[in-house]
Amino acid sequence: MTKNQQDFFNRFDIHVFDLTTNLSHVVAIATEHGFGGIVVPTSRLEELITYTKTVEMGEECSSPPRPIAMIDYPYGSSTLDVRQFQIISAKHAGAKSVEVVAPYHYIYKEDKNMIQKDVENMVALAKKYSIEIRYVIDVGNTYVSDEKIENLLKNLRSLTIRCVTCGSGYFNEMVSFDEFVLKCRELKKGFGKPTKSFIETEDQEDVLL
């Protein structure tokens, strides 16, 4: 694998939401190809970290993929104290980053004040516990229209959230890859901050930057 290939794959994370997926197999593939990280629900974080500690490193990969925890998947409907507990637990378990699902009930109602409060709370928690945080907004769902998501991203521009993830597949609403990529590109134009997108495959969800 060339240096350019290594740099390319390192920009990708693998999302694993199927609880039956063999994580040791995913870790082996991610390590072999130099993927940047693996994202799992908090319930599988310790299992993931166990495998990353035992994986054999090859010459082409200097470090195992980073363990990343998905918080409050899939609806973002938990209370602040529950989300806080999940972030603390993920940090203590060894997560290097967390992806926190945006509260879809607030997005659906276009409650800008509550969304802003939630973002501020998440950023404060990330700073307090010294962990990287990403705010997850699902493009491919039946509850929130593209227009509402576009308005949300515009409102988030003035806040201090570091990264917004636009995803597909949370609600089993599959979209074609080309349609999804084009849609995310359009949404990102109005955001003006680092944004990561992932698309669902048959086996797991691969992140596309």
Side-chain angles (χ1 to χ4, degrees), residues 1-14 29-37 60-61 181 185 196-197 199 206-209:
M1 186 183 298
T2 67
K3 180 65 166 57
N4 286 341
Q5 289 175 322
Q6 291 179 27
D7 291 342
F8 174 77
F9 279 110
N10 191 251
R11 294 174 177 270
F12 289 75
D13 298 332
I14 298 179
I29 292 175
T31 303
E32 178 183 358
H33 295 285
F35 281 87
E60 296 179 343
C61 185
V181 171
R185 282 181 177 175
K196 184 181 70 172
S197 307
I199 50 182
D206 295 341
V207 173
L208 173 64
L209 288 178

Side-chain angles (χ1 to χ4, degrees), residues 121-133:
N121 285 329
M122 293 302 103
V123 171
L125 286 173
K127 183 177 181 180
K128 180 177 181 180
Y129 296 104
S130 301
I131 190 167
E132 181 190 23
I133 192 167

Side-chain angles (χ1 to χ4, degrees), residues 6 8-16 23 26-27 29-31 33-40 45 48 52 61 63-69 96-97 99 132 134 196 204-207 209:
Q6 291 179 27
F8 174 77
F9 279 110
N10 191 251
R11 294 174 177 270
F12 289 75
D13 298 332
I14 298 179
H15 286 66
V16 182
L23 285 183
V26 175
V27 171
I29 292 175
T31 303
H33 295 285
F35 281 87
I38 300 175
V39 185
V40 296
L45 184 60
L48 171 63
T52 59
C61 185
S63 61
R66 295 190 312 154
I68 304 170
K96 301 302 181 183
S97 303
E99 295 195 352
E132 181 190 23
R134 302 164 180 167
K196 184 181 70 172
Q204 63 249 343
E205 289 145 51
D206 295 341
V207 173
L209 288 178

Side-chain angles (χ1 to χ4, degrees), residues 72 76 78-87 100-101 118:
D72 207 10
S78 298
T79 59
L80 175 61
D81 57 337
V82 172
R83 287 156 77 86
Q84 177 175 337
F85 177 78
Q86 290 184 9
I87 292 174
V100 182
V101 179
D118 184 70

